[in-house]
Amino acid sequence: MSESALAEHKHDAPAKPAKPKKGSREELETLDDYDLVKRFTKGTVDAFEVLVLRHKRQVYNFIYKMVGKPEPADDLFQETFLRVLKNAHTYRPRAKFTTWTLQIARNVTLDYFKRENLRQHVSLDATVPGDDKPLRNLVPGNEPPSQDVLLSKELLEEVQSAIKRLPLHQQEALVLRVNEELPYAEISEIVGSPEGTVKYWVHEAVAALTRYLAKRGLT
Amino acid sequence: MDTREAKVQLPAYLIGDLSPKEAAMLEGHLDVNPEAREAKEQLSRQLLPVMNLPAPDVGEAALARLFMEARRELAKPERQPDFSWRENARFFMRVAAVLVATAVLGVVVAGVIPSGSNVVGSLVTVGNDVRVVRQNELVETPQGVPMTLELKAAGARIDLDGSSALVVRGRGHESSIEIMRGRVIVGASSHNVHITCGEAEVVVLPRSVAAIDFDAPFERIRGKGAVIELQRQTIAHVARVSERLFGGRIDTAGLPAEVANRRVSIYGNGLRREEFMAAFKSAAERHGVVFTADSRDFALTYNQGTAGSSIDESESILKVASLQGTVEFIGEKKTELSDRSNSVVVFANGTLTKSSDAEGAARAQRMVVWAGRSDMPHFKLSETVSNYIAMGQGGGRVITVATALPVGTVLSHDSIRYGGTLVRVGEPVKLSLPGANGGRLMGVMSSGIEVSADDPAGTRYFVPISNSQSR
């Protein structure tokens, strides 16, 4: 093979993907959570941003489903990640970063409820104004349940407010299990209660909600 | 296992808490016990909304505040790492290198571009992704995926519906955008926002919100039968696309050029050949074009007698409405628009029709501008436009349903093909809606349809088109 053909042959070989520059956004995005924590504790603000963007959906959803409104949820989200930032030196990788952050989010949310004196648990089995409005108007009548069932915004709001009326421990267990689909071991770590207890809370919450939805005519 | 035991296990089964062995046992029992099966279906219906609660995302403003706060926190002197002398030397060498490089780059750049950065600095949120938009960058949204841009320095917020595109031209306080196509809501808080759409220019004054629908020629096709967006394309062009995508030969030779250049729109995804051809056939028929099939060959012939009279032949159509405050049209006097949103102006091929004219007002009353997102915290919109927007006949609030139209639905500009049936605007449509099994088709947009439900209140629903890629 001539030299030029060899050069051409070399040129045809698949090019190795260029390694992202150290400290660049691309490089940071390849790092695991613990490495990102180490980076931002050394002052790399981009590492913190990458970490927030990576986990914002899960953390925000937990907070939002606990408080039910976007305004306090935005503030509590911000407070959660600022606590993450300030306490990052205490984080050890024996716990998943999301577990640790959700623990912080939970504490921030509980502080908010305490501060605002907001939690007034109303049993789902009690009659409250508006309970006489049947939910069946918000869902398809005799259609069998299928992927095509359209869920109205109103129905979802009703369900959201029903969830808010559950006892707090049931509410957080339900959100983490049913909406965030976390394993019981992780939920147990976040809420600081044994797995069996958490499972019981989830089943109690599901039973209370389905009782309530049946009573409101969603059968 | 008996019915009572089965019912006790159902909640755990539906949320995936049973072991595989327990689940198999329960499934075996459900196969032979209709009462337990009915209980399972009832419980599934009740759990469906619990499991499908909306998953909103954190607000961009909160995210921006957090990042700013984080920068401040990390910049505090006590947070600086404790360098050793070796690291110190390395650090200062790096700083010196950066300073030199910056100075050299500054000299080069100063001669090439005008002063100021070309970064507009607007945070754009697309799903879970947040990024910065640069000046002159084309921002596009795929079908069914809305996007929000925030031009911080200008205090403007822009909501793009799916299948829309714009370019951010201005920077700093002088924000200006060029809408290439689609549906866009522009809110100005502290400064004017200049908008160009084709030949028209619009200025949104501070504390004002404008809704714009720019229906311009556009084509996007992602793979055979996947997402198809053919917007205001000529019949001749759509014939060529259908040949390319679905085979067969379409003879357009018999069509007069004027007819071949008439425009149609077809949107859909996961379309089969028959669905696409049927949509094209009905779109062409409205122009008096008869479509005949012979084996794998198709022919288009023109029959003047059947030509529709209400079809707008313009290359593009621009509809502008003010949802709040004042929107100014360049070269025209300022138009004060009420929050009743009945002041719709129409530009068609450069001809301006204003709602102050009798004809324009009548057209505005019949017209739906569009339905899209407008959850803008900076602006207090009236109830009529507080959620999803649809203006024109009846006006009022439109509730968006969480589930999209199934894959395989074809949208044309005034009809949909859904479950094998063609439904035109104004005709009844069978669709599973909250509280009703159907309604009347009120409007079709590239992003979905508007339906007035068969309930006593005639509730308006917006049903988006699916963005899923597979059937």
Side-chain angles (χ1 to χ4, degrees), chain A residues 56 137 149-150 177 184 203, chain B residues 17 45 57 71 403 432 434-435:
Chain A
K56 73 185 169 80
N137 289 345
V149 170
L150 303 174
R177 176 64 190 154
Y184 280 109
H203 293 178
Chain B
D17 278 1
R45 270 199 294 277
D57 210 345
R71 277 175 198 281
T403 308
S432 183

Side-chain angles (χ1 to χ4, degrees), chain B residues 162-285:
Chain B
S163 302
S164 304
L166 58 78
V167 175
V168 180
R169 299 273 186 222
R171 60 166 167 255
H173 299 323
E174 294 295 317
S175 86
S176 117
I177 58 170
E178 182 176 354
I179 297 176
M180 314 307 282
R181 65 173 190 281
R183 295 142 306 281
V184 181
I185 293 183
V186 180
S189 61
S190 51
H191 298 82
N192 289 351
V193 179
H194 295 260
I195 304 166
T196 313
C197 303
E199 298 296 307
E201 279 185 65
V202 178
V203 183
V204 186
L205 269 57
R207 291 180 298 285
S208 302
V209 184
I212 293 162
D213 180 1
F214 187 34
D215 194 5
F218 171 66
E219 175 188 327
R220 188 210 316 259
I221 293 161
R222 283 215 302 264
K224 187 178 176 181
V227 173
I228 291 177
E229 296 174 57
L230 286 165
Q231 190 170 286
R232 299 197 79 73
Q233 294 292 347
T234 63
I235 290 178
H237 179 74
V238 180
R240 282 194 293 276
V241 169
S242 57
E243 276 186 0
R244 195 176 79 227
L245 284 180
F246 298 104
R249 195 182 65 83
I250 299 184
D251 182 11
T252 54
L255 292 184
E258 179 264 326
V259 178
N261 286 329
R262 290 190 181 173
R263 291 174 188 276
V264 295
S265 298
I266 296 172
Y267 314 96
N269 92 55
L271 301 187
R272 296 191 182 106
R273 173 191 161 104
E274 315 82 68
E275 289 158 344
F276 181 85
M277 292 311 236
F280 179 36
K281 184 172 181 281
S282 57
E285 270 171 8

Side-chain angles (χ1 to χ4, degrees), chain A residues 72-214:
Chain A
D74 279 2
D75 290 345
L76 298 179
F77 173 86
Q78 195 179 338
E79 198 178 329
T80 299
F81 272 103
L82 283 175
R83 283 199 200 177
V84 165
L85 185 77
K86 287 172 186 167
N87 296 293
H89 61 280
T90 67
Y91 170 67
R92 295 290 173 270
R94 62 176 178 76
K96 273 173 73 178
F97 178 75
T98 43
T99 309
W100 184 64
T101 309
L102 283 168
Q103 275 174 342
I104 295 175
R106 176 177 182 261
N107 291 338
V108 166
T109 311
L110 294 181
D111 287 351
Y112 164 77
F113 285 140
K114 221 178 283 171
R115 198 167 59 231
E116 302 290 318
N117 202 15
L118 280 176
R119 287 301 299 194
Q120 287 183 341
H121 165 227
V122 186
S123 166
L124 277 177
D125 295 323
T127 306
V128 292
D131 264 8
D132 49 343
K133 195 176 80 183
L135 286 177
R136 62 178 159 269
N137 289 345
L138 301 175
V139 289
N142 301 320
E143 299 287 313
S146 75
Q147 293 290 44
D148 290 345
V149 170
L150 303 174
L151 302 171
S152 79
K153 199 175 162 203
E154 277 74 5
L155 174 65
L156 294 172
E157 276 168 7
E158 283 272 1
V159 172
Q160 177 86 59
S161 85
I163 290 174
K164 281 197 69 194
R165 290 166 64 193
L166 289 168
L168 191 57
H169 58 276
Q170 284 185 18
Q171 187 190 346
E172 56 189 15
L174 180 84
V175 167
L176 292 170
R177 176 64 190 154
V178 175
N179 298 116
E180 295 308 317
E181 296 178 351
L182 294 185
Y184 280 109
E186 211 174 321
I187 304 173
S188 153
E189 211 169 324
I190 293 166
V191 302
S193 298
E195 273 184 55
T197 309
V198 174
K199 205 169 193 173
Y200 173 74
W201 288 342
V202 172
H203 293 178
E204 281 290 292
V206 169
L209 274 174
T210 49
R211 261 201 317 272
Y212 170 78
L213 294 171

